[in-house]
Amino acid sequence: MKNRITLLITFIFIYFGSHGQKLEENIDFVDYLIINRNYPDALFLLNQINPINPEQKDSVNFLLGKTHYLNQQLDIATTYFDKVTNTKTDLRTETLFYNAFCAANIKNYSKSYGLLNSVDTKDSLETGLKNFELAGIDLLNRDLISFDN
């Protein structure tokens, strides 16, 4: 029964999505699917969206990356996070943190370190998270001297 409902919702999304439905409504539905851990359908629907400007493209790439991240496909997630290009949005900072975490987990420590060093923190919470992740990378990399600093 659940599969039939998902199939029906997917059909409705595709039908109305091709008839001028707003991107925001599509993204809201994808968020719903992600929250309910329906990653295959979320990925399918995200791949059906045709963004018309760079901000929309960044949003879709971020959600593709986040969906793969939540589905524990970290190597694929980094490829989508790398495609988020707009450096002037809060989305970019969140993307850098997710991407750095994924890179560290697939043992690409230099990439992870570089991504974190490119984060411009806005408050003490972001600074703390950045320092925590950098310390974690130092431990994973067995660099105790950098960790102590």
Side-chain angles (χ1 to χ4, degrees):
M1 180 70 173
K2 183 180 177 184
N3 288 337
R4 288 181 182 171
I5 293 172
T6 302
L7 185 62
L8 177 64
I9 291 172
T10 303
F11 173 75
I12 291 170
F13 176 84
I14 293 170
Y15 177 78
F16 287 108
S18 64
H19 289 88
Q21 188 177 13
K22 294 181 183 177
L23 178 72
E24 293 82 19
E25 293 172 5
N26 292 343
I27 297 296
D28 288 343
F29 184 63
V30 168
D31 280 337
Y32 168 81
L33 291 173
I34 292 171
I35 288 168
N36 288 294
R37 297 181 180 171
N38 194 340
Y39 306 129
D41 287 340
L43 291 170
F44 175 78
L45 296 175
L46 283 166
N47 285 313
Q48 302 304 312
I49 295 174
N50 293 317
I52 58 173
N53 61 46
E55 290 82 17
Q56 291 179 353
K57 191 171 187 174
D58 282 348
S59 295
V60 170
N61 282 323
F62 173 77
L63 286 171
L64 282 164
K66 186 175 177 181
T67 305
H68 283 291
Y69 164 83
L70 293 170
N71 203 24
Q72 299 179 0
Q73 298 169 320
L74 304 181
D75 52 337
I76 299 170
T78 60
T79 60
Y80 287 106
F81 288 137
D82 286 339
K83 294 178 182 181
V84 177
T85 58
N86 191 346
T87 59
K88 298 178 184 175
T89 64
D90 291 334
L91 186 63
R92 179 67 177 160
T93 301
E94 191 173 353
T95 301
L96 289 170
F97 277 115
Y98 272 114
N99 202 359
F101 181 84
C102 291
N105 274 282
I106 59 174
K107 299 181 180 181
N108 191 343
Y109 305 127
S110 59
K111 177 181 179 178
S112 183
Y113 209 82
L115 288 165
L116 288 171
N117 282 324
S118 69
V119 173
D120 292 325
T121 57
K122 296 181 182 110
D123 56 35
S124 61
L125 187 61
E126 283 184 2
T127 302
L129 178 60
K130 177 180 175 178
N131 291 335
F132 182 72
E133 286 194 31
L134 286 169
I137 294 167
D138 289 335
L139 287 176
L140 289 169
N141 212 13
R142 310 240 190 270
D143 187 354
L144 299 178
I145 295 170
S146 294
F147 173 76
D148 286 338
N149 293 332

